[in-house]
Every structure is written in C-alpha cells, then in structure tokens.
Amino acid sequence: MKLTPAMQNFILHWGEMGSRWGVNRSVAQIHALLHISIDPMTADEICEVLGLARSNVSNGLKELQAQRLVKVSRQLGDRRDHFTSIRDMFDLVDAVIAARREREFAPTLRALVK
C-alpha cells in the first residue's frame, strides 16, 4: 500500500491525538492505517507501511483488539490474520468510550466502593 501525503498526515495526526488520549502513539497510528485502508491488512503489511517493528505491531494489534477497535478476519488459503478497523463512526466512538470507561473510570469506582 502506497500512502499519499494526505494519508501520511492523517496517520501522524491520529498518532499525536492518541498520545494525548493516553494511547501509545504507534498503536494509534496502526489504528489510523487500518481505518483508512480499503482492504484488511496483515501484521506484516502494517509493519511494512508504517516502518514499525513486528513486535510493536503485534502488541498494538492485541491492544486494539482488547479495546474492540479492530476486528480479525481470515481468508481461505491464508493462515495469517487480517485486520480491519470499525468503519461506522458511531460504533467507533462507542468502542472508544467503552474502552476509556473501563481503563479510567471503572478502577476508580471499584476503589471507592471498597
């Protein structure tokens, strides 16, 4: 996948915004790439496009899956996982809010109840 300047700017911007929201910059960049990608991407393709280490991409994808921001699919004849971002913006916002609630507010509420 060849990134246009506009795509590069979006990925960089999303990475900066992610770091302000408490998300690792490279994780946010992976999410941005998957969000603008037309087709599902493998971890190796993500590594190649973003220039990130395989371990970094693998950990980032695990985090994004845990937050339910990306989905995994399989293709016949291919043993690799293929990743896509949530496409619907309302579903994406709901997933972000749910992940932040669980990461930020739930621990505080549990501590106050004890």
Side-chain angles (χ1 to χ4, degrees):
M1 171 180 208
K2 180 80 170 141
L3 297 178
T4 66
M7 294 166 97
Q8 291 175 5
N9 287 337
F10 175 74
I11 291 169
L12 292 172
H13 174 73
W14 201 249
E16 289 297 320
M17 294 305 296
S19 64
R20 292 181 184 147
W21 296 331
V23 176
N24 182 294
R25 180 180 314 206
S26 58
V27 173
Q29 289 177 345
I30 293 166
H31 181 250
L33 175 63
L34 291 173
H35 192 71
I36 62 175
S37 176
I38 295 169
D39 298 318
M41 296 183 74
T42 65
D44 291 332
E45 291 169 333
I46 295 167
C47 291
E48 182 180 324
V49 172
L50 295 179
L52 297 173
R54 181 68 164 87
S55 60
N56 196 359
V57 170
S58 179
N59 289 332
L61 289 169
K62 286 178 188 174
E63 185 175 332
L64 290 167
Q65 287 176 76
Q67 295 178 16
R68 296 186 179 133
L69 295 175
V70 299
K71 296 182 181 184
V72 181
S73 62
R74 303 277 172 104
Q75 295 180 359
L76 286 175
D78 192 347
R79 296 184 343 201
R80 300 173 297 174
D81 290 333
H82 293 76
F83 300 91
T84 56
S85 173
I86 297 173
R87 296 288 181 206
D88 183 273
M89 288 307 289
F90 291 108
D91 292 341
L92 180 61
V93 169
D94 283 343
V96 168
I97 291 170
R100 290 195 70 185
R101 182 183 308 123
E102 186 59 33
R103 185 176 67 239
E104 298 169 18
F105 297 117
T108 302
L109 292 174
R110 284 190 291 271
L112 291 173
V113 174
K114 289 183 180 182

